[in-house]
Amino acid sequence: MALLEVRNLDVRFGLRSGEVQALRDINFSLERGERLGVVGESGAGKSVLGFSILNLLSQPGYIAGGEILFEGQNLAAMSPKQLRSIRGNRISMIFQDPMMTLNPVLTIGQQMVECLLAHRKISRKDARRIALQKLKQVQIPSPETRIDQYPHELSGGMRQRIVIAIGLLMDPDIIIADEPTTALDVTIQAEIMDLMLELCERNSVALILITHDLGIVSQVTRRAMVMYAGRIIEQGPTREIINDAQHPYTQGLMNALPQMAIPGQRLNQIRGSMPPLQNIPTGCAFNPRCDYVLDVCHRELPGFTRSGGCKVACHMVAQMKLEEEAAVHALEVK
Amino acid sequence: MIAFLIKRVVQAIIVMFVISLVSFSIQDNLGDPLRELVGQSVSEAERQELRDEMGLNDPFLVQYARFAKNALQGDLGTSYFFKEPALEVILKKLPATLELVLGATLIIMLLSVPLGVYSAIKPYSLFSRAVMGFSIIGISVPVFLTAIGLIYLFSIELGWMPSFGRGETTQILGFWGSGFFTADGLAHLVLPCISLASIMLPLFIRLIRAEMMEVLQSEYVKFAWAKGLSPRRIYFLHALKNTMLPVITVGGVQIGTMVAYTILTETVFQWPGMGFLFLEAVNRVDTPLIVAYLIVVGAIFVVTNTLVDLIYGLVNPTVKLAGKK
């Protein structure tokens, strides 16, 4: 059994102007110790996916259907109390902006100890000892003084280390990291990323890495999913997705990388922009921007086609596969 | 800390100087104190002589210098009506007013925090909507109308509460006549305190609700949820502490304002406090008393604001009072 299995997840926002489908038909699984990358443009639903795994969607978002099975238990149907025993304990989350994640009026120590006390029956003194130990693990210099300081007394990189320390406090099974390095200085990004990976590796923590940085995904993760307008449009081994993207959108993302540009030429980009969730085109959501658009793309939502180790939601790929098979069949008949 | 206090004291002196200048300068425009002081029978020549004697014909700056010199020695002039030092007359009435403000502040603090927090956590519940509706009414209805309505309902129709005065008071600390220690005194406090609180309470509920709703949307509250903390800890520690920071700042200023609002409440309830006294002084053109009142109220403002800044500095770790470690 997979550690985490998401089945047919459907997330909606009940807005005054009507229901908006933020995530549709999300299916994926995560094994113990695995690293999974979630890639996509802003607004593709990556963060919503992260929050819905912990059933932490804020109003007016809600899980409208599907299952989130963590060790076989459905998080989408759990009581708030049961959920609390999982959040921060078995599955923890690291947020994007360390400047905003820590409470400005509580000390680092208070914010760490409270998490330990919420999940374990231990004394305050023991909790503080564990907190200090975790601060050492994330290489905070002189943790004994830092633990009694307030967030504003620390730098951004230091704060993200503390957020990571809080994420690892209970030795969770899964960490969901939502753009953990985006808000940081480029020089610190690599440092923080390495630290996080090392700690995940050492404790065999599974990592769901939400990012728009394809470089990080290719270096760090073994499997990846590409999201577009609330749907997973391609998922499979990271190497295959990076080297041999099937979906026209993923191909577009790859071509848009600055490394792919020829010096002196304009950078490549995908024309148009992602549709707002209230106004997703019928058929394939990518059809207005796609170079290979077919008639069927305007009418029908594409199902998944297997291609190598990947699953791709694209009519064009499906048709190519059919033609390929027909050709192979014809050869065999001959 | 010491440096902070010194800075604030210097600021306070400047503020008090400006207040004294402004309040002293209005006395020329308040009408003729002589008309109230002496009867119809006194001739114009005698009046002129009296004015000279009292220094009312001197140039403004000379008058102010004389006033300031005396004021620095604690003498804010002598009330024309009471024939007593104005400051003493006012300080005698100060306990009554401060108890009224204290009672109203207690009502506001005890009610605004729970109501504001609840209506922020459950903004769509029927109760929250009712609170919000009533708060609009509370803000819109003027104090004197609320006061008269309360008197009509609870004193006249139901007969539960006394309608005027302070009732029985006890002396504490030798000089302070307090209504907080007798049943009769407390009964007399209820209606005036409610009507004084009626304007500020809705304001505070709305302020706390708005701040709290904003804080609940913040990343650190989301992170607290992701840590698996109990809702109680998230609402009442993580969120409330951040909510109260701006509320303390606004609240402190409002308590000062409430001292001024007592003029209305005290008049309706015939409350023997500073505000009531001030209104009488205006009617009698008792200029020294008016000036002294304005200066005392100004001093109360300055003191409360300094206290608020101190408390804010203690609660908010991101503010460093000079020298605080």
Side-chain angles (χ1 to χ4, degrees):
Chain A
M1 185 174 60
L3 179 63
L4 179 77
E5 191 166 354
V6 175
R7 283 189 198 153
N8 307 321
L9 181 64
D10 181 358
V11 169
R12 292 174 196 204
F13 284 80
L15 301 179
R16 205 165 285 183
S17 53
E19 291 253 301
V20 163
Q21 213 168 6
L23 292 181
R24 57 174 86 190
D25 201 24
I26 301 287
N27 282 286
F28 70 93
S29 65
L30 183 75
E31 302 295 333
R32 200 168 283 280
E34 195 185 354
R35 291 175 193 164
L36 173 68
V38 181
V39 205
E41 278 172 86
S42 314
K46 305 178 306 248
S47 295
V48 174
L49 176 60
F51 281 111
S52 37
I53 291 173
L54 273 179
N55 206 339
L56 255 180
L57 291 164
S58 44
Q59 287 280 347
Y62 67 101
I63 295 177
E67 293 175 317
I68 300 158
L69 299 171
F70 173 68
E71 294 184 323
Q73 294 171 289
N74 187 4
L75 299 183
M78 255 186 196
S79 73
K81 209 175 160 199
Q82 281 175 304
L83 271 172
R84 281 214 306 277
S85 70
I86 294 201
R87 290 176 188 154
N89 185 16
R90 310 293 308 279
I91 305 177
S92 59
M93 220 169 154
I94 293 172
F95 287 25
Q96 178 170 353
D97 190 350
M99 296 300 188
M100 316 287 284
T101 315
L102 295 169
N103 194 321
V105 299
L106 301 175
T107 63
I108 306 301
Q110 282 175 303
Q111 298 189 50
M112 296 184 82
V113 166
E114 65 178 0
C115 186
L116 286 157
L117 293 181
H119 297 295
R120 247 190 248 172
K121 295 226 176 310
I122 51 173
S123 71
R124 209 161 266 279
K125 222 173 123 190
D126 286 339
R128 193 181 155 91
R129 214 193 53 240
I130 297 172
L132 272 172
Q133 200 183 316
K134 289 288 172 188
L135 285 179
K136 272 184 207 125
Q137 266 185 31
V138 294
Q139 295 155 21
I140 296 279
S142 54
E144 285 85 1
T145 41
R146 293 299 183 194
I147 195 168
D148 291 319
Q149 287 185 322
Y150 289 94
H152 72 274
E153 296 171 86
L154 308 173
S155 69
M158 199 95 94
R159 287 192 220 182
Q160 196 64 317
R161 282 169 197 271
I162 283 160
V163 173
I164 292 172
I166 293 175
L168 289 166
L169 217 43
M170 302 300 302
D171 300 316
D173 298 302
I174 303 175
I175 285 187
I176 301 166
D178 187 359
E179 313 237 9
T181 57
T182 314
L184 298 174
D185 215 298
V186 185
T187 47
I188 303 169
Q189 281 186 1
E191 238 175 75
I192 295 284
M193 196 45 110
D194 288 343
L195 174 75
M196 201 168 71
L197 293 176
E198 191 206 311
L199 290 172
C200 286
E201 187 101 316
R202 200 195 299 167
N203 304 315
S204 66
V205 182
L207 178 69
I208 298 178
L209 183 65
I210 298 170
T211 177
H212 55 247
D213 190 335
L214 287 163
I216 288 181
V217 167
S218 72
Q219 283 166 29
V220 166
T221 65
R222 214 164 48 80
R223 268 186 340 111
M225 323 195 287
V226 183
M227 290 187 71
Y228 187 82
R231 252 193 123 204
I232 296 172
I233 51 143
E234 183 161 4
Q235 67 168 308
T238 309
R239 204 182 311 147
E240 271 182 55
I241 290 181
I242 298 285
N243 294 335
D244 185 21
Q246 298 291 311
H247 197 284
Y249 175 65
T250 321
Q251 288 172 358
L253 284 183
M254 294 302 153
N255 287 331
L257 287 176
Q259 293 93 304
M260 304 297 281
I262 300 153
Q265 278 200 342
R266 278 175 159 276
L267 296 175
N268 294 314
Q269 59 174 24
I270 307 175
R271 66 192 155 88
S273 57
M274 185 143 64
L277 291 174
Q278 296 91 320
N279 197 12
I280 290 177
T282 48
C284 174
F286 189 58
N287 74 51
R289 306 172 71 185
C290 185
D291 289 330
Y292 309 99
V293 64
L294 307 168
D295 276 349
V296 66
C297 299
H298 294 290
R299 292 194 312 267
E300 280 170 40
L301 199 66
F304 282 97
T305 311
R306 287 215 156 270
S307 165
C310 291
K311 285 198 299 184
V312 187
C314 176
H315 287 302
M316 191 266 293
V317 174
Q319 210 155 51
M320 271 169 43
K321 284 281 155 198
L322 274 179
E323 282 167 17
E324 220 173 85
E325 269 166 41
V328 170
H329 191 69
L331 274 175
E332 278 169 6
V333 170
K334 271 183 190 169
Chain B
M1 191 70 165
I2 301 290
F4 171 80
L5 279 180
I6 291 172
K7 212 173 105 193
R8 288 313 299 241
V9 168
V10 172
Q11 279 173 358
I13 290 170
I14 297 170
V15 171
M16 288 314 296
F17 169 72
V18 174
I19 290 175
S20 72
L21 196 61
V22 170
S23 46
F24 190 76
S25 68
I26 61 174
Q27 72 160 355
D28 276 346
N29 308 310
L30 278 177
D32 186 5
L34 265 289
R35 212 182 56 204
E36 293 290 323
L37 264 177
V38 297
Q40 291 284 332
S41 59
V42 181
S43 74
E44 183 54 37
E46 281 171 302
R47 285 175 191 235
Q48 215 34 271
E49 206 175 302
L50 205 52
R51 283 201 188 98
D52 276 336
E53 201 180 306
M54 291 168 69
L56 292 177
N57 287 334
D58 292 341
F60 173 74
L61 282 179
V62 175
Q63 286 194 47
Y64 178 73
R66 191 162 52 223
F67 167 79
K69 195 181 129 227
N70 290 333
L72 285 176
Q73 290 157 355
D75 175 14
L76 294 180
T78 305
S79 160
Y80 295 153
F81 179 79
F82 292 96
K83 315 275 191 265
E84 279 176 51
L87 190 61
E88 261 175 49
V89 174
I90 285 174
L91 289 184
K92 252 187 260 168
K93 302 286 186 180
L94 186 65
T97 297
L98 285 188
E99 288 198 347
L100 191 58
V101 172
L102 181 70
T105 308
L106 281 178
I107 292 176
I108 291 171
M109 287 202 297
L110 291 179
L111 288 180
S112 67
V113 174
L115 289 178
V117 168
Y118 181 84
S119 53
I121 295 171
K122 297 219 179 323
Y124 302 111
S125 81
L126 207 61
F127 183 69
S128 302
R129 286 169 199 259
V131 168
M132 286 301 106
F134 273 112
S135 73
I136 283 284
I137 297 173
I139 289 178
S140 320
V141 178
V143 176
F144 56 87
L145 204 62
T146 317
I148 290 169
L150 287 172
I151 290 176
Y152 176 75
L153 187 63
F154 291 102
S155 305
I156 299 174
E157 288 297 312
L158 296 169
W160 292 349
M161 294 289 170
S163 62
F164 69 92
R166 285 188 81 190
E168 194 186 328
T169 57
T170 45
Q171 290 295 119
I172 52 166
L173 304 169
F175 65 96
W176 188 291
S178 174
F180 273 104
F181 299 98
T182 59
D184 188 46
L186 282 174
H188 279 82
L189 269 165
V190 173
L191 293 187
C193 286
I194 291 177
S195 45
L196 184 57
S198 68
I199 292 270
M200 296 294 173
L201 178 62
L203 199 81
F204 272 80
I205 293 175
R206 296 192 148 255
L207 179 68
I208 290 174
R209 178 183 121 108
E211 289 294 334
M212 182 90 172
M213 284 177 91
E214 202 182 312
V215 169
L216 287 179
Q217 293 298 315
S218 70
E219 290 287 303
Y220 53 82
V221 167
K222 277 187 196 155
F223 190 58
W225 285 112
K227 276 154 74 177
L229 304 181
S230 68
R232 215 177 48 195
R233 194 169 170 89
I234 293 173
Y235 290 138
F236 293 105
L237 182 74
H238 283 254
L240 191 58
K241 210 171 169 192
N242 284 287
T243 300
M244 290 317 282
L245 292 179
V247 176
I248 288 173
T249 319
V250 178
V253 180
Q254 295 302 334
I255 288 176
T257 314
M258 242 176 4
V259 175
Y261 265 103
T262 56
I263 294 178
L264 290 173
T265 316
E266 288 183 2
T267 309
V268 177
F269 287 98
Q270 300 287 296
W271 188 263
M274 282 180 356
F276 193 37
L277 180 77
F278 174 72
L279 221 58
E280 286 178 328
V282 171
N283 282 331
R284 294 176 187 137
V285 202
D286 194 345
T287 13
L289 202 54
I290 294 170
V291 174
Y293 172 83
L294 293 176
I295 287 175
V296 168
V297 170
I300 292 175
F301 256 91
V302 169
V303 170
T304 44
N305 274 334
T306 310
L307 286 178
V308 165
D309 282 353
L310 267 176
I311 294 171
Y312 187 82
L314 293 177
V315 178
N316 188 354
T318 57
V319 172
K320 274 233 164 69
L321 301 182
K324 180 186 145 193
K325 182 120 198 322

